[in-house]
Amino acid sequence: MAYEVILLTTMAIMVLFALSLNVITGFCGQVSLGHAAFYGIGAYVGAMLTKAGWPLLIALLPAAGIAGLIGFFVGLMSLRVRHDFLAITTMGIAFLFVGFVRKQEWLGGEIGISGIPAFGFGRIGLLVVALACAGLFAAVTVYLKRSWMGFGFDSIADDEDTARILGIDVPRFKLWAFVIGTAGAGVAGALYAHHVRYIGPDSFGFVESVTVLAMVIIGGIGSVWAVALAAAVLSVLPLWFQFIDDYKLLIYGLLVFAVMRFSPNGIAGALQSFRRRLR
Amino acid sequence: MLALDLLLQGIVQGAIYALIALGLTLIYGLLRILHVAHAALFTLGGYIGVIVTNETGSLPLALIVAMVSVGLLGIVIYRLAYKPLLDQSPLVALIASIGLFIAFEEVFRLVFGSYGLSFENPPLRTQVNLGGGLLISHSKLLVIGMAIVILSILAWLSTRTRTGIAWKATVTDSQIASSFGINIERVRYLNFFIGSALAAAAGVMVALLTNLVEPTMGAVASYKALAIIVLGGLGSVRGTLVASIAIGIVESFGTVYVGHILDRDALAFAFLVIALMIRPQGLFKAG
Amino acid sequence: MLLSVSDVTVQFGGVTAVADLSLQVDRGELIGIIGPNGAGKTTLMRVISGLVRPTSGSILLNGQDVTGWTIDRRVRSGLALAQQIVKPLATFTLAENVALACGSRRMGSPWQAMTTVDRNAELQRGRELLELVGIAAAADDYPSAVPLGYLKCLELARALALEPELILLDEPLAGLNQAEAAQMADRIASLVTESRSIILIEHNLREVIRICPKLFVQDQGRYLDFGATEEVMANPKVRAAYLGEGAI
Ligand SMILES: Nc1ncnc2c1ncn2[C@@H]1O[C@H](COP(=O)(O)OP(=O)(O)O)[C@@H](O)[C@H]1O
Ligand SMILES: [Mg+2]
């Protein structure tokens, strides 16, 4: 039972994390190779606050707020660079975050923060909170996609110069995507910190950023359900592969490669063509 | 003296970055793919270099074997992994490449063990006095020398030979090139061969400097090389060279003077981010 | 005065694409801009719309100085343009392409955009505009599936969707056959109203002369002439620039 609870909590947190990147990369077309930084910011803010005595549920708000605020500034930077330049700039931001944290005594430096308090309502309680957050965020993004803002995001992802000519306020739309997406990552990070109860600079590195981007792309860019599914499966895949421990990462890597190689539009694309074939 | 020492250190590091990043630039210039798995070829080059040297006792032979075999592997990767994805969004190739990189690292760990390999008789460890107490090891001199030699050969190839000219034309505009009867596919093979061979050479050089090859030694190369080619203007060979040396120097000075605030990687990326905010297209225009 | 371009110069590196040009457009006018290839017509249009920044000079729209404004802001305050090279949104149907433009003025604020889900009104309006430009049958097709002539019409429909006071058209007739061009020219002329002006950049002199009461002529970035069409066409300097030296 306890094992299943841990597994499900991991899934829910990763689904939230992946959906948050999906707003930026999937909806708005702005590729980020540094999303783990915002996950990390949320984790550090959440951990520091609960260690100072705040209840987790309240600490989630500043975790979202501060991640979103920094996301806003990164969004401002994203207005200057595009495409692959943007992807690498965001990657740079993530390295700056990790490099900065490493040297901060008050954030635990290299060693990180341990002894993060357990959630007051136990493991099951944390699972419920994580599921609620992921579910709520999924609902928000489904709504967002259907709203006019989602329509605007589509146009920016398609061709931002043309979107501007059609009167779309591209910078503001992009900033909103960044703020919503990074705030979501902040919540996911705070939950993660209280799930594993130890965080350090290495928990939020390049690999984590790449992993979450892989979830979005493997799901199928933009599709909320497919991205959630991909995140749920990929997040626990290494755990399921425990029995072939030594080969689990090899299989993971090959799987990521194979999905892209044989179904470039991800799970969403594969399902779509499957449905078309049934008809 | 410290400043000169650091400068030298930065140049050595920059030369290695240049060898790795150059292949990545060539591939990006032609196919617009961020080829992360390139870093795995760098690691493999290191392994082959150490193993062949230990078996035969000849470093030059090891270098050649590493460059040729890894170059061929580069072609295989292009053929099997990227060619079918050229019509897709570049993101697809990027993620595929990352999957491949993870898989390669695991293969290295499973095949060569997780603790790494060293030279039985580490070559070129002796120091040379450059005058004024400035010491440099033979291996570092070799790295700088190799980088210069390889780059000069490349420059010569690309301006003086038919193949080189065809290659440059293809990088600049593949459609026009193909209308002139250039075989684009051959140029791509050549590109992957040369780029991968350069990465292998860099792997051997790093093995010489550190006397250690490990499965994860490509991790830093995987992201830093991306940063360098972006800083250089994505697809610009000259830009890549300048960016490599610049990042090498920023790192060597930075770790000494501001190392208490930011670590080595963060310094390199701080430089990258600031440079991109000032010049969003990188230091040089592609081409 | 609807549009007032004053002493605008645009340089690209060493090339002066637009040299110290001034142009005034009133409400309800249809002005043709002509000049040989490379005269800087497209650059003039791009500087009016905000796609390039002038090296010097200023642009007033409705009396407001918009020189520093981004293009989308100018578009939301009454400007629209159809570019020489058509740029449809490839993942949008033609109707959606127009619908996006229909809503963009009202949805300028992200808050409004976030709280609006229903886009039927805009899609409906988009279809009407496609009907108006004569390509309603392709409303649900994607741009890759329709011919160039349709995309030219789509550009026009999208420009109209912005409910602009001033429309900039860059070579809308290029690539059309003679009959299509005449039809498109008539359509353009019919779009001018008391509250809507059009600047038409066009190589097809025949149609320009037929529908534009006033012409603005530039050559190598410089001003050549501006006035009533017959007078301009009678100007020997204009004939020389157009037909080459010695053609007078
Ligand atoms: N983005 C640019 N960069 C450099 N030169 C440009 C650019 N755009 C236009 N030019 C140059 O400016 C001149 C005018 O071009 P353009 O405005 O396109 O003329 P037209 O539309 O009248 O044919 C040409 O010499 C062209 O080469
Ligand atoms: Mg033109």
Side-chain angles (χ1 to χ4, degrees):
Chain A
M1 177 63 184
Y3 180 69
E4 280 79 9
V5 170
I6 289 176
L7 217 61
L8 282 174
T9 313
T10 307
M11 272 188 181
I13 292 172
M14 283 315 282
V15 167
L16 174 57
F17 186 28
L19 287 178
S20 73
L21 179 61
N22 191 40
V23 173
I24 301 173
T25 302
F27 290 2
C28 202
Q30 307 300 301
V31 179
S32 170
L33 270 173
H35 204 52
F38 303 98
Y39 192 54
I41 291 167
Y44 273 92
V45 170
M48 297 297 280
L49 290 178
T50 53
K51 282 195 91 163
W54 288 46
L56 173 62
L57 288 178
I58 297 183
L60 288 179
L61 293 176
I66 294 177
L69 185 70
I70 297 177
F72 174 79
F73 287 109
V74 173
L76 279 182
M77 304 177 82
S78 84
L79 301 181
R80 258 186 93 66
V81 284
R82 285 192 187 191
H83 308 301
D84 294 326
F85 289 92
L86 172 64
I88 304 304
T89 303
T90 50
M91 173 172 118
I93 304 283
F95 275 100
L96 274 174
F97 166 74
V98 172
F100 172 79
V101 168
R102 264 187 218 295
K103 303 288 176 181
Q104 299 307 308
E105 232 25 82
W106 58 285
L107 291 175
E110 294 277 2
I111 302 157
I113 301 179
S114 51
I116 297 170
F119 182 48
F121 298 94
R123 285 242 158 247
I124 306 256
L126 189 66
L127 172 60
V128 171
V129 173
L131 283 173
C133 288
L136 190 68
F137 197 83
V140 167
T141 56
V142 167
Y143 168 81
L144 203 60
K145 197 172 164 59
R146 289 180 48 221
S147 76
W148 192 277
M149 183 167 258
F151 202 32
F153 284 160
D154 287 344
S155 71
I156 295 172
D158 186 315
D159 174 358
E160 61 177 277
D161 294 322
T162 302
R164 271 175 183 266
I165 289 172
L166 300 183
I168 302 294
D169 192 345
V170 173
R172 267 219 251 179
F173 274 68
K174 275 194 197 173
L175 283 179
W176 272 98
F178 267 95
V179 168
I180 296 170
T182 53
V187 173
L191 292 173
Y192 169 78
H194 293 81
H195 179 46
V196 296
R197 298 180 53 200
Y198 158 78
I199 55 171
D202 293 326
S203 322
F204 312 104
F206 185 50
V207 176
E208 284 69 22
S209 290
V210 162
T211 307
V212 71
L213 181 63
M215 288 171 180
V216 172
I217 311 284
I218 286 178
I221 233 173
S223 159
V224 173
W225 300 117
V227 169
L229 180 66
V233 173
L234 287 178
S235 60
V236 295
L237 212 55
L239 294 177
W240 282 343
F241 288 159
Q242 276 313 354
F243 65 97
I244 41 168
D245 192 29
D246 225 25
Y247 300 93
K248 71 180 183 212
L249 268 178
L250 175 63
I251 291 182
Y252 180 82
L254 287 177
L255 203 72
V256 168
F257 171 72
V259 172
M260 290 292 92
R261 171 71 177 76
F262 298 107
S263 178
N265 293 319
I267 297 175
L271 286 179
Q272 215 167 40
S273 58
F274 182 65
R275 232 179 287 144
R276 224 174 286 137
R277 222 173 300 156
L278 283 187
R279 254 190 251 132
Chain B
M1 224 56 252
L2 177 63
L4 261 183
D5 226 23
L6 289 176
L7 187 66
L8 204 60
Q9 187 60 44
I11 291 174
V12 170
Q13 190 59 51
I16 288 173
Y17 286 156
L19 287 178
I20 304 173
L22 211 60
L24 215 54
T25 291
L26 296 182
I27 288 160
Y28 187 91
L30 207 51
L31 304 175
R32 311 279 129 187
I33 289 175
L34 292 175
H35 171 35
V36 175
H38 191 63
L41 300 182
F42 157 79
T43 308
L44 183 60
Y47 271 109
I48 296 177
V50 171
I51 291 170
V52 174
T53 308
N54 285 348
E55 291 299 319
T56 65
S58 163
L59 180 64
L61 178 68
L63 186 64
I64 290 168
V65 172
M67 288 178 73
V68 172
S69 56
V70 171
L72 292 175
L73 180 61
I75 292 181
V76 173
I77 290 178
Y78 163 66
R79 185 64 196 79
L80 298 184
Y82 294 134
K83 190 169 154 54
L85 297 179
L86 288 181
D87 301 332
Q88 304 292 334
S89 138
L91 269 184
V92 172
L94 172 67
I95 301 296
S97 186
I98 288 169
L100 211 53
F101 178 58
I102 296 173
F104 265 117
E105 278 199 332
E106 286 306 297
V107 170
F108 297 150
R109 191 175 58 79
L110 292 169
V111 174
F112 301 120
S114 18
Y115 296 111
L117 300 178
S118 297
F119 289 104
E120 278 154 17
N121 306 302
L124 306 173
R125 302 301 278 181
T126 45
Q127 304 263 337
V128 201
N129 194 336
L130 288 184
L134 192 62
L135 290 174
I136 184 169
S137 68
H138 270 115
S139 52
K140 283 184 184 168
L141 272 183
L142 179 73
V143 169
I144 298 179
M146 278 284 297
I148 293 174
V149 168
I150 288 178
L151 296 177
S152 315
I153 293 177
L154 268 187
W156 178 79
L157 278 176
S158 69
T159 48
R160 294 288 136 86
T161 64
R162 276 184 69 90
T163 322
I165 292 165
W167 167 73
K168 260 180 111 169
T170 311
V171 172
T172 315
D173 189 331
S174 60
Q175 243 162 17
I176 291 183
S178 79
S179 70
F180 276 108
I182 291 171
N183 183 343
I184 307 266
E185 202 53 24
R186 266 229 316 264
V187 173
R188 287 177 180 161
Y189 283 154
L190 184 71
N191 226 9
F192 268 88
F193 181 83
I194 293 179
S196 309
L198 290 183
V204 178
M205 298 297 124
V206 168
L208 275 176
L209 292 180
T210 59
N211 193 21
L212 178 69
V213 287
E214 319 172 81
T216 55
M217 76 187 246
V220 174
S222 70
Y223 54 76
K224 200 138 321 149
L226 291 182
I228 287 169
I229 67 169
V230 163
L231 181 60
L234 273 178
S236 156
V237 169
R238 192 155 50 117
T240 302
L241 296 182
V242 173
S244 301
I245 303 291
I247 295 242
I249 292 175
V250 164
E251 285 183 1
S252 74
F253 279 89
T255 35
V256 172
Y257 293 108
V258 277
H260 55 288
I261 309 175
L262 289 174
D263 70 357
R264 188 187 183 94
D265 286 348
L267 278 165
F269 280 102
F271 180 69
L272 168 86
V273 170
I274 293 168
L276 282 185
M277 286 303 112
I278 299 168
R279 290 183 66 94
Q281 310 291 322
L283 298 178
F284 290 84
K285 251 187 114 125
Chain C
M1 198 56 55
L2 179 58
L3 173 76
S4 167
V5 177
S6 322
D7 309 319
V8 163
T9 297
V10 181
Q11 288 173 327
F12 297 111
V15 183
T16 304
V18 166
D20 203 25
L21 289 186
S22 299
L23 170 66
Q24 251 91 39
V25 181
D26 246 328
R27 278 172 200 285
E29 281 195 305
L30 169 55
I31 293 179
I33 296 188
I34 60 171
N37 249 330
K41 306 180 297 292
T42 297
T43 306
L44 180 62
M45 190 206 73
R46 287 162 63 86
V47 82
I48 294 172
S49 59
L51 284 167
V52 272
R53 291 285 137 107
T55 315
S56 64
S58 65
I59 294 137
L60 269 59
L61 190 64
N62 270 324
Q64 247 180 328
D65 188 348
V66 300
T67 317
W69 289 19
T70 56
I71 177 166
D72 51 288
R73 189 163 171 210
R74 295 184 205 198
V75 166
R76 288 194 303 279
S77 42
L79 194 86
L81 76 159
Q83 299 202 81
Q84 188 172 354
I85 299 161
V86 293
K87 296 249 172 71
L89 292 168
T91 56
F92 285 46
T93 63
L94 300 199
E96 286 169 343
N97 261 282
V98 187
L100 184 77
C102 285
S104 69
R105 266 179 102 158
R106 192 160 64 84
M107 306 294 171
S109 105
W111 184 249
Q112 183 74 34
M114 225 183 285
T115 49
T116 308
V117 173
D118 187 17
R119 40 181 111 136
N120 285 328
E122 282 80 8
L123 281 167
Q124 186 52 43
R125 177 86 186 113
R127 284 172 197 284
E128 286 167 22
L129 286 166
L130 289 173
E131 177 93 60
L132 182 74
V133 298
I135 54 169
D140 296 317
D141 290 337
Y142 285 91
S144 56
V146 302
L148 177 70
Y150 277 45
L151 298 179
K152 289 258 172 189
C153 293
L154 173 66
E155 285 274 326
L156 195 60
R158 288 198 310 199
L160 289 173
L162 296 164
E163 294 168 18
E165 293 165 285
L166 174 65
I167 307 181
L168 309 173
L169 300 174
D170 196 358
E171 305 210 12
L173 310 186
L176 304 183
N177 66 35
Q178 205 172 359
E180 286 172 333
Q183 193 187 11
M184 182 68 125
D186 286 334
R187 190 173 286 138
I188 290 166
S190 75
L191 294 175
V192 178
T193 65
E194 266 169 36
S195 57
R196 187 191 292 139
S197 316
I198 293 183
I199 297 179
L200 171 66
I201 295 175
E202 189 44 67
H203 247 47
N204 186 333
L205 273 187
R206 198 175 116 139
E207 297 299 333
V208 177
I209 293 170
R210 188 167 70 81
I211 65 169
C212 296
K214 281 169 89 177
L215 289 185
F216 181 91
V217 192
Q218 59 187 87
D219 182 23
Q220 298 184 0
R222 286 188 310 270
Y223 167 86
L224 219 55
D225 200 2
F226 182 37
T229 299
E230 306 87 70
E231 287 164 32
V232 168
M233 289 316 290
N235 182 342
K237 277 203 302 193
V238 172
R239 303 186 75 89
Y242 240 88
L243 308 169
E245 306 293 339
I248 315 165

